[in-house]
Amino acid sequence: MKNIYRSIILGVMALVLLSAMAVAAPPGITQVYAVDVEVQGQGTVAVSPAPGSGASSFPPNAKVFYYDFNSQGIDLQWTATPESGWTLDHWELGATGATTQSTDNPVTLSLTPGTSNPSNWTVRAVFTEASYTVSVSADPAAGGTVT
């Protein structure tokens, strides 16, 4: 993780549309990271370090903001927790549009300064329903019952 003393992380969780708005960095902050948090299927995601709002778990389709005072970048560790009967299939993450897939859990997304400010990122956890295969055979093969 980048030196947390050099990168003071502030954040505000918002359920507002930002895609059409430009966000100016507050004085003293050189880079703003806007992270879309998406969940497909049934489960939750959590992040460490938490944004300045203190929330570390988010509802589906949330937008989280991190502010970087010195443009050193920020490493975020994301953890997925599936609901009962579901499993984490994979993560899709990256700058503007979820470009990389990973099956690691937890997974790290390294926010790096980009040419745009805010720099837009996506984290998507894809959960699938758990499925099980059951094989049954009889011994002797001539008969019997299975219950």
Side-chain angles (χ1 to χ4, degrees):
M1 182 179 310
K2 304 289 182 204
N3 185 335
I4 197 156
Y5 296 108
R6 290 185 307 185
S7 296
I8 299 173
I9 302 169
L10 302 172
V12 179
M13 185 171 98
L15 298 174
V16 297
L17 295 174
L18 179 66
S19 59
M21 295 186 294
V23 174
I29 297 175
T30 59
Q31 182 69 51
V32 177
Y33 304 101
V35 182
D36 289 312
V37 181
E38 300 175 5
V39 174
Q40 290 181 356
Q42 300 294 313
T44 60
V45 297
V47 65
S48 177
S53 65
S56 61
S57 294
F58 309 101
N61 304 315
K63 187 173 284 283
V64 181
F65 298 95
Y66 284 86
Y67 300 107
D68 188 351
F69 283 91
N70 55 16
S71 293
Q72 295 294 311
I74 302 169
D75 287 344
L76 303 177
Q77 184 173 341
W78 295 88
T79 303
T81 305
E83 295 292 332
S84 179
W86 291 76
T87 61
L88 174 67
D89 186 68
H90 66 275
W91 292 96
E92 298 172 2
L93 55 150
T96 313
T99 57
T100 302
Q101 288 193 6
S102 175
T103 56
D104 294 343
N105 193 29
V107 68
T108 299
L109 172 63
S110 296
L111 304 178
T112 54
T115 56
S116 63
N117 201 1
S119 179
N120 296 304
W121 298 79
T122 301
V123 171
R124 182 180 301 117
V126 178
F127 296 96
T128 56
E129 286 189 81
S131 62
Y132 306 95
T133 302
V134 177
S135 298
V136 179
S137 62
D139 186 19
T145 59
V146 177
T147 56

